[in-house]
Amino acid sequence: MIADDDEKWLAAATAAVKQNAFYMQRAIDSNNLKDALKFSAQMLGELRTSKLSPHKYYELYIRASDELRSLEMFFRDETARGCSIAELYELVQHAGNILPRLYLLCTIGSVYIKSKDVAAKDILKDLVEMCRAVQHPLRGLFLRSYLAQVTRDKLPSIGSELEGDTETHMDALEFVLQNFTEMNKLWVRMQHQGPTREKEKREKERNELRDLVMTVGKNLHILGQLEGVDLVVYRDTVLPRILEQVVNCKDELAQCYLMDCIIQVFPDDFHLQTLDVLLGACPQLQPSVDIKTVLSGLMERLSNYAASSVEALPNFLQVDAFSKLNHAIGKVVEAQVDLPASSSVTLYLFLLKFTLHVHSDRLDYVDQVLGSCVSQLSATGKLCDDKASKQIVAFLSAPLEKFNDVVTILKLTNYPRVMEYLDHDTNKAMAIIIIQSILKNDTRIATADEVDALFELIKGLIKDFDGLTDNDEIDEEDFQEEQNSVARLVHFLYNDDPEEMPKIIFRIRKHILTGGPKRLPLTIPPLVFSALKLIRRMRGGDENPFGDDTSTPQKILQLLTETVEVLADASASELALRLYLQCAQAANDCELETVAYEFFTKAYLLYEEEISDSKAQVTALRLIIGTLQRMRVFNVENRDILTHKATGYSAKLLKKPDQCRAVYECAHLYWAEEGENLKDGERVVLCLKRAQKIADAVQKMANASRGASSTGSVSLYVELLNKYLYFLEKGNPQVTGETIQSLAELIRSETKKAESGAGTFITSTLRYMEFQRQQEDGGMSEKYQKIKMEWFE
């Protein structure tokens, strides 16, 4: 309803302005001064309304002030035709109402100044004093805004056509400052005009005025552009006068707005050289003022100034800008006890950015800012406010983005102290950011002390915070990604120095083992492989090349034994078995037979007691056989024991086909390429024959079952045939042509029974055998010639 009334009143007033402007323009065209003044006064009389909101009043003001441009040009033309400007200046003052009279006076006054018939300072003083006659806040603000607008290019500043001596210039400065002061008083007075219940409405209207035309700030913009306002004038006159008005008005909205205007309008070097004065005003502002925005704007501007001008950096050092800003923020935070945590963190964030721009070589300054933030947060405890937490993350990320080197961050003693105030989830997010920085920038953490410092920062990913239990809901996908990040990180904890790297391994282990059963299967493997990489670097040296008993391969392998045992206890038996086998290979490479045997023993124990799933047993057994096949460190007795156990496990698998395949794989354990003492042809054939017996049993079951037209079971015979061919080519004298021929005939017979094609596998095998028979090199061909088969005929 109120909005509708606003529109109606504005429409009526606008219509009246248009009508009177029309008659005014017609009078101007006919050079009728009397009627021009009459209709212009009637047009300006519409601005006397109190019915419009500031927004609607602004629209009306724009319409009327636009029409006054024609009147101003008419006044100039009249003076050119010989009319006395002084008489015109007196004539307009006979207007009946004060508001139209003053608008006309400002208009003719601007022409009077331009004519140079009188000193500009006298007209300016007259105008600014006479405008005091309008004390209605809204009307007075727009009247003075018009005064500032029409006199802006007519001030006797240095370099203008109206330039006078120093005293005249200071008079122009005084005019702008006086107009600013009066406008601010009117703006502040708006909050007291009307009943208390409408206070919120009035504050909204004041905000509209600020955003619409920057009525009060317009004068500061004019001051900022005056050529005569140098550093001395600004420091001794302009800034003290403005700050006096800002502090004395005791109005939250005005103080915040005007402080921001000061920061944005005047040059950066002015702010730098008057930092004491500007910062000294901050604690004097009202407690409800958003001081965060004020100081943040100042520090952001100074940071950009430092970044854009290398020549300015000595000035920052000269005035000790960092200490002044740090002290000022501390005073503000201390004075405003109700300042939200997010606001105080934002202040320190901008101070940190300022420090990183201006004093990037002073880590002590950076650490000091972090420490100041910790002191402020100490009364807060862990932050639950999302806004404050995001600000902390931005605060901690700033040095990372600046240095791109986590090693530098590790030197900041207060950095981990700030992280302690983050809640669990945000702490983990920050830890991920730190790890991503390391991975992205290929940062090497190269000392044990740095490893400790780093794990202190990312402990939110390494172990649960106090108060959290395994029963708390965890997003499995996020958890996996977090722990994968930690796993990738381990490979960046590296040093080529063989004395330092073992220390790093021990420190990593100390932190990793605090992770609990959910984390260990993801974080222990990279630790184990990092240690194995170190062991292989040590291989071939003296028993103790580093003078430290903890740095020998044997000691590190013993450490890995204990580490993998922890993993086995964490219900990750299959993974533990794999790692035991990897460690056994490393012990083999270092010729540590006893250690390698111990690892195999532990792997066998896990297989027997923990791995019960049939598929898992098959996979584990293949790994055991494959690893054992590559071992060369065992004596005959130990090798026989381990081989016998592996063969026994193979024969006990649940499914016959799995038994068959595992048994014929065991044949490789008796035939090693590297040494004659590791070749036992009889036992190879014994394994293959045992496998064939199992295959016979599988085939009988297939033939006896309903619908036994499938040749699937014949594939075991074909696999065995390929094993025989392998050992034939490797020179095993116990593998004869007759044995292979017999097996091939069996395959042909079973294939015919199934009344189906021979299949791709057997076809490819026979084709390979035929190819080898036809070779003319004499070696391999002779072996295959001993195999007589009708399929070749």
Side-chain angles (χ1 to χ4, degrees):
M1 185 66 181
I2 295 177
D4 292 341
D5 290 343
D6 254 10
E7 291 292 343
K8 291 178 182 178
W9 292 327
L10 175 61
T14 302
V17 167
K18 286 181 179 180
Q19 182 179 7
N20 286 293
F22 171 78
Y23 290 118
M24 179 191 75
Q25 187 63 49
R26 192 163 68 176
I28 289 173
D29 293 339
S30 59
N31 293 325
N32 188 336
L33 177 61
K34 181 180 178 181
D35 284 352
L37 291 176
K38 171 187 172 183
F39 289 114
S40 62
Q42 291 178 2
M43 174 187 72
L44 292 167
E46 296 299 323
L47 294 174
R48 298 172 60 223
T49 181
S50 299
K51 297 179 178 180
L52 298 177
S53 66
H55 184 80
K56 299 301 181 183
Y57 190 91
Y58 170 70
E59 293 183 27
L60 185 64
Y61 162 81
I62 290 296
R63 172 78 66 175
S65 61
D66 284 345
E67 298 296 343
L68 287 177
R69 294 175 185 172
S70 299
L71 187 63
E72 182 180 355
M73 294 176 63
F74 175 63
F75 286 152
R76 289 177 186 172
D77 293 340
E78 284 294 294
T79 57
R81 287 192 287 267
C83 183
S84 171
I85 186 67
E87 292 180 1
L88 283 175
Y89 191 70
E90 290 294 331
L91 182 61
V92 298
Q93 297 185 47
H94 294 291
N97 291 309
I98 187 66
L99 189 64
R101 183 192 315 159
L102 291 176
Y103 271 101
L104 292 173
L105 193 63
C106 291
T107 305
I108 189 62
S110 68
V111 178
Y112 203 173
I113 295 172
K114 199 76 172 177
S115 70
K116 300 183 181 179
D117 290 348
V118 68
K121 65 176 183 179
D122 294 333
I123 301 298
L124 292 174
K125 183 178 181 181
D126 193 30
L127 292 176
V128 77
E129 290 292 337
M130 292 185 73
C131 282
R132 287 186 177 180
V134 178
Q135 289 297 303
H136 185 279
L138 185 61
R139 290 184 285 224
L141 271 174
F142 279 96
L143 172 62
R144 287 189 175 275
S145 178
Y146 181 72
L147 173 62
Q149 175 184 327
V150 297
T151 59
R152 183 171 188 165
D153 58 343
K154 302 173 183 67
L155 298 175
S157 60
I158 296 175
S160 74
E161 61 180 74
L162 299 172
E163 178 182 356
D165 55 24
T166 304
E167 184 179 352
T168 304
H169 169 69
M170 292 304 292
D171 286 335
L173 185 65
E174 179 65 27
F175 163 76
V176 179
L177 285 172
Q178 188 173 348
N179 198 43
F180 157 74
T181 301
E182 294 300 326
M183 289 182 74
N184 190 52
K185 289 179 180 178
L186 290 168
W187 191 40
V188 172
R189 192 183 303 159
M190 283 186 68
Q191 68 173 317
H192 304 297
Q193 301 292 313
T196 306
R197 65 177 181 274
E198 295 182 357
K199 183 177 181 180
E200 185 177 343
K201 175 186 175 183
R202 291 195 297 273
E203 288 298 291
K204 181 179 178 182
E205 291 176 347
R206 293 178 66 209
N207 269 308
E208 286 182 1
L209 285 173
R210 180 193 65 183
D211 297 335
L212 282 172
V213 290
M214 296 192 302
T215 48
V216 181
K218 182 181 292 186
N219 295 280
L220 299 186
H221 280 269
I222 294 172
L223 284 174
Q225 294 173 359
L226 287 177
E227 291 294 335
V229 181
D230 57 13
L231 177 59
V232 175
V233 173
Y234 176 76
R235 181 190 62 209
D236 298 341
T237 304
V238 175
L239 184 60
R241 288 278 298 277
I242 297 175
L243 289 179
E244 179 185 10
Q245 178 61 30
V246 171
V247 173
N248 290 339
C249 75
K250 298 186 182 304
D251 177 71
E252 170 193 346
L253 184 62
Q255 288 180 339
C256 187
Y257 168 64
L258 293 177
M259 289 296 288
D260 184 60
C261 283
I262 294 171
I263 292 169
Q264 299 303 325
V265 165
F266 295 103
D268 297 320
D269 56 323
F270 284 17
H271 296 321
L272 191 59
Q273 297 300 327
T274 58
L275 204 52
D276 282 331
V277 180
L278 191 57
L279 294 175
C282 291
Q284 302 178 54
L285 303 179
Q286 295 297 103
S288 54
V289 170
D290 185 10
I291 196 65
K292 166 182 67 67
T293 301
V294 175
L295 288 177
S296 298
L298 175 61
M299 288 184 286
E300 183 176 24
R301 180 145 189 195
L302 290 177
S303 297
N304 294 336
Y305 177 45
S308 63
S309 175
V310 179
E311 294 79 9
L313 291 178
N315 296 332
F316 283 89
L317 299 174
Q318 182 181 4
V319 302
D320 195 14
F322 169 76
S323 297
K324 292 176 180 177
L325 288 168
N326 192 23
H327 179 73
I329 291 174
K331 285 293 185 183
V332 168
V333 171
E334 181 181 344
Q336 298 194 8
V337 293
D338 296 329
L339 191 68
S342 59
S343 297
S344 59
V345 172
T346 299
L347 283 172
Y348 285 113
L349 170 60
F350 279 94
L351 178 59
L352 181 60
K353 289 181 177 179
F354 168 83
T355 307
L356 293 171
H357 274 109
V358 181
H359 305 289
S360 58
D361 58 332
R362 294 293 301 269
L363 282 182
D364 57 326
Y365 281 2
V366 176
D367 208 27
Q368 190 175 337
V369 178
L370 294 169
S372 298
C373 186
V374 170
S375 299
Q376 172 59 24
L377 293 173
S378 59
T380 306
K382 290 191 182 297
L383 299 175
C384 298
D385 178 15
D386 288 342
K387 185 176 180 180
S389 296
K390 289 179 180 178
Q391 289 298 89
I392 287 285
V393 171
F395 183 68
L396 293 169
S397 299
L400 277 175
E401 295 170 359
K402 175 65 178 179
F403 299 119
N404 289 324
D405 182 14
V406 171
V407 175
T408 302
I409 303 302
L410 298 179
K411 298 175 183 177
L412 301 172
T413 57
N414 287 310
Y415 198 93
R417 295 178 63 198
V418 177
M419 287 191 67
E420 290 177 0
Y421 291 96
L422 294 173
D423 61 74
H424 181 51
D425 290 338
T426 314
N427 188 290
K428 290 196 299 181
M430 189 64 228
I432 289 292
I433 292 174
I434 293 172
I435 293 176
Q436 288 174 344
S437 175
I438 294 175
L439 302 181
K440 177 183 177 181
N441 299 297
D442 196 22
T443 305
R444 295 291 172 177
I445 311 300
T447 69
D449 290 340
E450 289 175 356
V451 169
D452 280 338
L454 175 62
F455 274 91
E456 176 64 22
L457 293 183
I458 64 170
K459 61 184 178 183
L461 297 176
I462 302 303
K463 60 181 180 181
D464 291 329
F465 278 23
D466 294 338
L468 294 178
T469 67
D470 291 339
N471 294 327
D472 291 334
E473 291 187 10
I474 297 176
D475 187 293
E476 287 298 329
E477 186 175 345
D478 290 344
F479 180 79
Q480 290 278 343
E481 183 59 33
E482 292 167 1
Q483 298 311 302
N484 286 338
S485 297
V486 176
R488 289 192 291 269
L489 171 67
V490 171
H491 296 291
F492 286 79
L493 313 179
Y494 182 78
N495 195 323
D496 288 324
D497 183 358
E499 294 187 12
E500 188 66 27
M501 189 59 195
K503 298 177 183 177
I504 291 176
I505 295 295
F506 277 77
R507 298 291 179 87
I508 298 173
R509 178 181 182 273
K510 180 187 72 174
H511 293 285
I512 289 293
L513 292 187
T514 63
K518 287 182 67 66
R519 291 180 174 84
L520 293 181
L522 297 169
T523 54
I524 281 183
L527 167 63
V528 171
F529 284 104
S530 183
L532 294 179
K533 181 179 179 181
L534 172 63
I535 290 170
R536 290 187 169 90
R537 285 175 52 208
M538 294 177 172
R539 187 182 59 184
D542 298 330
E543 176 63 22
N544 187 2
F546 312 124
D548 183 356
D549 288 341
T550 63
S551 301
T552 63
Q554 189 166 355
K555 289 292 184 182
I556 296 177
L557 285 169
Q558 179 59 39
L559 177 75
L560 293 182
T561 302
E562 299 168 0
T563 303
V564 180
E565 281 179 355
V566 174
L567 189 59
D569 294 337
S571 302
S573 303
E574 296 175 38
L575 178 58
L577 184 143
R578 290 171 179 268
L579 294 179
Y580 276 138
L581 296 177
Q582 291 286 342
C583 293
Q585 289 187 64
N588 176 78
D589 295 339
C590 296
E591 299 181 358
L592 298 172
E593 180 182 8
T594 303
V595 178
Y597 190 84
E598 180 182 358
F599 279 120
F600 259 95
T601 301
K602 290 183 175 296
Y604 281 171
L605 191 61
L606 280 178
Y607 179 86
E608 293 173 358
E609 297 182 355
E610 302 294 339
I611 301 178
S612 56
D613 180 76
S614 60
K615 290 184 178 180
Q617 285 180 336
V618 172
T619 301
L621 194 52
R622 286 176 177 172
L623 290 171
I624 289 172
I625 294 170
T627 304
L628 184 57
Q629 181 186 357
R630 292 190 292 273
M631 303 296 287
R632 299 293 177 265
V633 70
F634 293 133
N635 60 35
V636 175
E637 181 181 357
N638 286 338
R639 187 177 183 85
D640 282 348
I641 292 173
L642 296 174
T643 302
H644 179 73
K645 278 185 168 292
T647 307
Y649 295 149
S650 301
K652 294 179 182 178
L653 290 173
L654 179 63
K655 298 178 180 179
K656 290 291 184 180
D658 292 335
Q659 289 180 17
C660 176
R661 293 184 175 100
V663 170
Y664 71 57
E665 289 294 343
C666 286
H668 291 279
L669 298 178
Y670 300 104
W671 193 270
E673 294 292 319
E674 288 77 2
E676 291 297 327
N677 61 330
L678 296 177
K679 295 179 180 179
D680 189 339
E682 291 185 2
R683 299 183 75 172
V684 168
V685 173
L686 182 62
C687 281
L688 295 177
K689 288 183 177 180
R690 184 178 299 172
Q692 186 170 341
K693 288 182 179 180
I694 300 172
D696 289 341
V698 172
Q699 189 62 34
K700 287 180 181 179
M701 292 175 61
N703 291 338
S705 64
R706 183 177 301 175
S709 59
S710 173
T711 60
S713 55
V714 180
S715 63
L716 288 176
Y717 288 138
V718 181
E719 292 171 23
L720 272 170
L721 176 60
N722 278 269
K723 287 296 176 184
Y724 274 110
L725 296 177
Y726 170 83
F727 287 109
L728 174 69
E729 294 181 4
K730 293 299 180 182
N732 185 341
Q734 303 300 322
V735 177
T736 63
E738 290 80 5
T739 303
I740 295 175
Q741 180 177 337
S742 173
L743 181 57
E745 291 294 339
L746 178 59
I747 293 172
R748 185 179 67 168
S749 172
E750 293 297 333
T751 303
K752 286 183 178 179
K753 286 182 183 179
E755 297 180 354
S756 63
T760 304
F761 193 9
I762 183 58
T763 302
S764 299
T765 302
L766 294 173
R767 190 176 299 158
Y768 173 78
M769 294 169 65
E770 176 65 16
F771 171 78
Q772 293 291 9
R773 287 184 63 183
Q774 294 176 0
Q775 295 299 307
E776 298 180 356
D777 57 3
M780 199 63 65
S781 177
E782 290 182 2
K783 295 179 180 180
Y784 278 86
Q785 290 293 340
K786 297 178 181 179
I787 305 174
K788 304 295 184 180
M789 293 180 59
E790 294 182 2
W791 289 359
F792 294 153
E793 301 302 331

